[in-house]
Amino acid sequence: MTQKKLNVKKGDTVIITSGKDKGKKGKIMTALPEEGRVIVEGVNVVKKHTKPTQKVMQGGIVSKEAPVSCSNVMLVCNRCGKPSRIGKKVLEDGQRVRVCKKCDEVVDK
Ligand SMILES: [Zn+2]
C-alpha cells in the first residue's frame, strides 16, 4: 500500500488557501492520508439532513465538516503565527521533525 505523504497531521493548525473557506483557520480533527485530505474544525461545513432512526428519534439537520484536499491547506506556525512552508530536519537523536521555514521553529513536539 502506498500512502501519500501529508505535510500536515491531526492537531495541526492550518489555514485554508482556496475555496469558499479561504483564509479560515482551524485545527485538523482528522487526517486522511489515503485520500490526501484532512478534516478541519469549522471548515467546509456541510449540512446534512438526517432521517429519524430508532437511535435518534428526531430527524433534522446536522452540520458536519467535509474533508478538504491537503493541497488547499497550509500549516500555520505556532511561533510566528504565519502560514509557513514546512522544512524537514533531522535532530541529533535521529528523529525527523518538521520545521517552519520562516522562523525555524520545530513544528513537531
Ligand atoms: Zn514560524
Side-chain angles (χ1 to χ4, degrees):
M1 200 175 93
T2 51
Q3 266 198 341
K4 275 182 202 159
K5 282 264 169 78
L6 289 182
N7 284 330
V8 290
K9 61 187 182 185
K10 191 178 172 181
D12 285 349
T13 302
V14 293
I15 190 162
I16 308 302
T17 57
S18 75
K20 69 179 167 87
D21 288 320
K22 188 176 176 179
K24 264 195 192 178
K25 272 187 203 173
K27 215 173 209 184
I28 294 181
M29 302 195 301
T30 312
L32 306 162
E34 296 87 4
E35 301 175 35
R37 299 200 287 180
V38 291
I39 297 175
V40 185
E41 195 175 17
V43 169
N44 203 22
V45 174
V46 289
K47 288 196 164 77
K48 268 189 176 174
H49 293 264
T50 55
K51 283 179 188 167
T53 60
Q54 281 189 330
K55 257 190 191 168
V56 186
M57 294 301 281
Q58 258 186 329
I61 300 168
V62 184
S63 294
K64 207 185 163 193
E65 285 92 347
V68 292
S69 169
C70 66
S71 59
N72 291 340
V73 304
M74 235 180 152
L75 190 73
V76 176
C77 173
N78 286 327
R79 185 171 170 198
C80 60
K82 289 179 185 144
S84 333
R85 289 192 162 273
I86 297 303
K88 296 246 165 92
K89 202 158 108 176
V90 181
L91 298 180
E92 283 173 12
D93 62 3
Q95 195 192 348
R96 287 162 182 269
V97 293
R98 296 172 302 164
V99 294
C100 168
K101 279 195 175 171
K102 284 211 173 87
C103 67
D104 216 28
E105 172 82 347
V106 175
V107 178
D108 291 305
K109 297 279 187 243

